Amino acid sequence: MKESLLSKLDQLRMRHEEVSALLSDPKVMNVQEEFRNLSKEYAQLEPVVNTFLRYQKIQQDMAEARELLTLGDSELKELAEQELQLFEKQIVELEQALQILLIPSDPNDTKDIYLEIRAGTGGDEAAIFAGDLYRMYTRYALTQNWQCELISESLGEHGGYKEVIIKINGHGVYSQLKFESGAHRVQRVPETEAQGRVHTSACTVAILPVAEEIDEIEIN
C-alpha cells in the first residue's frame, strides 16, 4: 500500500482516538449538538479504523513469520510458509476493503430525513397501499434503532393515507433510504374490491435529507 494512504489511515486512527476521548468528556456530553456530531463522526471512522488495525496486526504477524523462516528448524519453516500464504491473501483483501472505505461518501449520508408518502393512481386502494408503505418504513426504522416522528397526515376514507410525512432520526438514515425515492406500484386484489378483480395502485415516496441549521439572516 502507498505511503500516502498509510499516512492518511494513521491520521484517521488518531482522529478516531481523539473523538473517542471527547465523547467521554462530561463537558462535551452536556452539549447535545456537539455530542451528536461527534457521535456521527465516530461511527463513520470506526469501520475504517477497525479494518486498518486488522491490517496492521496481520503485517506484524507476517514479520514474525518471516523471522521464523531464518531459523534452522524445518517444521517451523514449513509452518511459517503456510502462515505467510494465508497472511498475504488477507492483506490483499484488507487493502481492497480499505480503498473502498476511503472513497468519499455522499455528504448527506449521515443526515436524518423527511419521508413523504403520497397516494397516487388507484383511489382508496392507493391510500391503503400508502399505509402499508408507512408501516413498512416505520417498522424497518425500529429494527435500526431509529426514531420516527409524525409530521403530518391526511387519512384515506377506507384506511391508509392520502399523504403522510414523517421525520426519521438515526445513524445513516439517508444512506440506507435515499434510493427509496420514486414511484412504488402494487398489483393485488384490494380489500375494497367486492368482485375479486386485481387492481394496480401506485404511491410516490420522497426522501429528503434534513437541512443543516443556519444562522438567522438579517435583511437590511
Side-chain angles (χ1 to χ4, degrees):
M1 186 177 289
K2 294 181 180 179
E3 286 297 325
S4 58
L5 285 178
L6 290 173
S7 176
K8 182 176 182 179
L9 287 164
D10 201 45
Q11 290 174 5
L12 292 175
R13 178 190 59 78
M14 290 188 290
R15 177 57 181 168
H16 182 263
E17 292 177 357
E18 180 183 1
V19 173
S20 178
L22 287 170
L23 288 171
S24 302
D25 188 336
K27 294 181 181 178
V28 173
M29 295 173 70
N30 291 331
V31 182
Q32 188 175 4
E33 182 68 20
E34 184 179 2
F35 184 80
R36 182 167 61 249
N37 291 336
L38 286 170
S39 297
K40 288 182 177 180
E41 183 181 359
Y42 184 88
Q44 284 181 299
L45 290 171
E46 194 165 23
V48 184
V49 172
N50 286 343
T51 304
F52 182 50
L53 292 176
R54 286 171 55 203
Y55 175 86
Q56 289 182 313
K57 177 64 169 62
I58 293 176
Q59 288 277 32
Q60 182 181 351
D61 292 340
M62 288 179 70
E64 294 175 356
R66 290 192 181 100
E67 286 184 11
L68 291 177
L69 290 176
T70 63
L71 302 177
D73 192 313
S74 59
E75 290 185 3
L76 286 177
K77 282 185 177 181
E78 183 179 354
L79 178 62
E81 287 173 355
Q82 292 176 355
E83 288 184 334
L84 277 173
Q85 290 179 0
L86 177 62
F87 292 150
E88 286 170 358
K89 180 181 178 181
Q90 292 176 338
I91 282 292
V92 171
E93 292 174 350
L94 288 171
E95 285 181 349
Q96 292 175 346
L98 285 168
Q99 289 174 3
I100 293 173
L101 288 169
L102 287 173
I103 295 173
S105 59
D106 186 329
N108 290 325
D109 278 351
T110 60
K111 291 185 177 180
D112 302 328
I113 66 165
Y114 289 105
L115 186 151
E116 177 191 79
I117 305 171
R118 288 177 180 267
T121 305
D124 291 335
E125 168 59 13
I128 293 172
F129 180 41
D132 293 340
L133 290 174
Y134 169 79
R135 286 188 293 275
M136 178 185 74
Y137 288 123
T138 52
R139 288 177 181 176
Y140 178 73
L142 288 174
T143 66
Q144 303 300 308
N145 295 318
W146 297 338
Q147 295 180 337
C148 297
E149 176 187 352
L150 181 64
I151 303 299
S152 69
E153 62 179 354
S154 175
L155 299 175
E157 293 180 5
H158 294 84
Y161 299 95
K162 294 178 182 178
E163 176 187 293
V164 60
I165 301 173
I166 57 174
K167 183 180 180 183
I168 304 180
N169 305 319
H171 173 64
V173 178
Y174 184 77
S175 66
Q176 293 195 47
L177 294 182
K178 60 184 176 182
F179 298 113
E180 292 295 309
S181 287
H184 294 246
R185 191 182 70 161
V186 65
Q187 288 183 305
R188 63 187 180 186
V189 178
E191 297 176 5
T192 55
E193 171 58 50
Q195 299 180 12
R197 292 174 298 183
V198 175
H199 284 225
T200 300
S201 303
C203 292
T204 59
V205 173
I207 306 293
L208 304 173
V210 175
E212 298 286 347
E213 292 184 5
I214 59 174
D215 294 333
E216 186 177 347
I217 299 174
E218 182 178 349
I219 300 176
N220 189 340

